[in-house]
Amino acid sequence: MSGWFRLTLGLLGVVLGAACTVQGLGYVEGSVMAGQRIWAVIGPVLMVAGLVLLWLGVRARNRR
């Protein structure tokens, strides 16, 4: 995987993880995920994975 691809996936993971967390905690209504605790757990896990990918992508781009 090249650096830009890791950066893109990492950013996507952070954004989707934040959205899942906010919906899982019940701050956003009108969704199937609203108020479901499982999404409040999956969201932060997805955000951490996204942050790791962002870090790896930055490292890969700095090596060039």
Side-chain angles (χ1 to χ4, degrees):
M1 263 195 291
S2 64
W4 67 269
F5 189 65
R6 288 181 188 153
L7 286 171
T8 303
L9 284 180
L11 184 61
L12 184 64
V14 170
V15 170
L16 288 178
C20 288
T21 302
V22 169
Q23 287 183 355
L25 292 174
Y27 292 121
V28 177
E29 297 294 328
S31 171
V32 177
M33 297 188 299
Q36 300 292 322
R37 270 193 198 164
I38 188 70
W39 296 110
V41 174
I42 291 173
V45 171
L46 190 58
M47 284 193 314
V48 168
L51 288 172
V52 169
L53 280 172
L54 279 173
W55 180 68
L56 290 173
V58 168
R59 281 189 51 198
R61 290 188 52 89
N62 285 341
R63 287 185 187 168
R64 292 182 183 192

